[in-house]
Amino acid sequence: MMSGGYTSIDNQKVSGSVPAVSDPGRIPVQFTDSGLQTFPPSGVQGKISGGAQPPRDADDSFSRPVGGSPRGSEESQGSGWLHKFTVAAYKPYFDVDTSDVLDRLKESLYPFRGTFTEKTATNPDLYGPFWICTTLIFVAASIGTFVTYIAHKLRDKEWNYDINLITWSAGVFYGYVTLVPLVLFVILKYFSAPSGLVQLFCLYGYSLFIFIPAMCLSVVPLEIFRWIIAGVAGFMSATFVALNLKAHITSAGESWFLIVASIFILQLALSVVLKLYLFTVSV
């Protein structure tokens, strides 16, 4: 209908385009399908980065290649030691997948091979050591609590939960896997046989994995059996660390045997401490 110089279209369905009006004074308008782009892209970078990538205007500080631009190199040089306190500085040490971690866990169960250091020389990780220590804390606290609970119930004694088991376990495992490699790093550097600090963290972290099944077996209420389990676990862990460092420490001269022996004894002492504190029950 024509009314007052205006054209109205009644009950007309629009699908994809508007039909052109016959008025020669008007310009027909046609809607076309706009090009849609699938987001996010499906590319994957690295082993631990997800399938989605940030848009171009997002912060790409984690994915920007090192030294990819003069500005990036200037920023990294300008930040200096402050760069060590950023997440990006430690990202490469967590760039491992499940197969890498499983292979290293299996390697720690065969201490006489002595090939762990060689296999992890190009890609030592902190992911495995962190979760091994974290698992040990909760396993030690839970198993230790269960052992004391069973011992009290068998003798009809009153039992009280000891919250100090968690804090004590956290201090022992996190402290051991941090301080001992730091001290060893300084000693090796003094004897002109330096080793990578992250490599030492990785080695000592995986050396503690054997204590997880050992603690689980310690629920058996036989004192002699618990001592055997603690001794075997300590011996395997100490042998794993000593043999993997032996080839490297021999370059320290005549003192290499003393260093290896100290490493072995210290690892054995850890197993004795765990046995005495967690699995020695007095009712």
Side-chain angles (χ1 to χ4, degrees):
M1 296 177 62
M2 299 294 295
S3 175
Y6 295 95
T7 303
S8 61
I9 303 175
D10 298 330
N11 300 325
Q12 185 175 6
K13 296 183 179 180
V14 180
S15 59
S17 64
V18 177
V21 183
S22 59
D23 189 353
R26 298 188 181 275
I27 301 175
V29 180
Q30 183 177 5
F31 296 92
T32 59
D33 294 336
S34 59
L36 299 178
Q37 181 179 2
T38 302
F39 185 85
S42 59
V44 178
Q45 294 180 355
K47 294 180 179 179
I48 64 173
S49 59
Q53 298 176 351
R56 294 182 179 179
D57 58 347
D59 181 13
D60 61 346
S61 57
F62 290 161
S63 59
R64 184 188 302 118
V66 178
S69 63
R71 181 181 177 183
S73 59
E74 290 175 1
E75 289 178 354
S76 61
Q77 293 176 358
S79 59
W81 61 274
L82 293 176
H83 180 66
K84 298 298 181 181
F85 295 93
T86 62
V87 176
Y90 300 95
K91 180 183 176 183
Y93 304 123
F94 291 84
D95 190 16
V96 289
D97 53 26
T98 304
S99 61
D100 294 331
V101 176
L102 290 178
D103 289 341
R104 296 175 184 190
L105 291 177
K106 293 176 183 178
E107 189 73 19
S108 67
L109 298 177
Y110 297 93
F112 296 100
R113 292 179 178 178
T115 58
F116 181 86
T117 304
E118 298 177 2
K119 293 181 178 180
T120 60
T122 58
N123 185 28
D125 73 283
L126 298 178
Y127 179 87
F130 172 78
W131 284 111
I132 289 173
C133 291
T134 303
T135 304
L136 276 170
I137 292 171
F138 289 100
V139 169
S142 59
I143 296 297
T145 300
F146 180 74
V147 167
T148 56
Y149 173 79
I150 293 299
H152 282 75
K153 289 301 179 181
L154 289 177
R155 300 186 182 184
D156 294 328
K157 299 289 185 178
E158 183 181 357
W159 174 81
N160 294 315
Y161 175 71
D162 186 7
I163 189 64
N164 293 324
L165 284 176
I166 296 180
T167 56
W168 184 88
S169 300
V172 167
F173 292 116
Y174 282 145
Y176 184 86
V177 84
T178 301
L179 296 179
V180 174
L182 277 173
V183 174
L184 183 60
F185 174 78
V186 175
I187 293 175
L188 293 179
K189 195 169 185 179
Y190 175 79
F191 285 101
S192 299
S195 178
L197 182 59
V198 178
Q199 181 76 17
L200 294 175
F201 284 144
C202 180
L203 177 65
Y204 269 87
Y206 281 98
S207 71
L208 299 181
F209 175 71
I210 186 62
F211 288 106
I212 295 178
M215 288 182 180
C216 295
L217 291 174
S218 296
V219 299
V220 178
L222 294 175
E223 191 67 14
I224 185 63
F225 180 78
R226 290 172 179 170
W227 273 112
I228 294 174
I229 292 298
V232 172
F235 177 80
M236 292 180 64
S237 179
T239 303
F240 173 75
V241 175
L243 290 184
N244 277 281
L245 287 176
K246 178 183 176 182
H248 182 77
I249 295 178
T250 50
S251 60
E254 299 177 355
S255 303
W256 74 268
F257 181 78
L258 180 62
I259 298 175
V260 173
S262 300
I263 293 172
F264 188 89
I265 294 175
L266 186 62
Q267 203 79 356
L268 279 178
L270 175 64
S271 64
V272 174
V273 170
L274 294 178
K275 166 63 183 70
L276 292 176
Y277 189 83
L278 295 175
F279 302 107
T280 298
V281 183
S282 58
V283 180

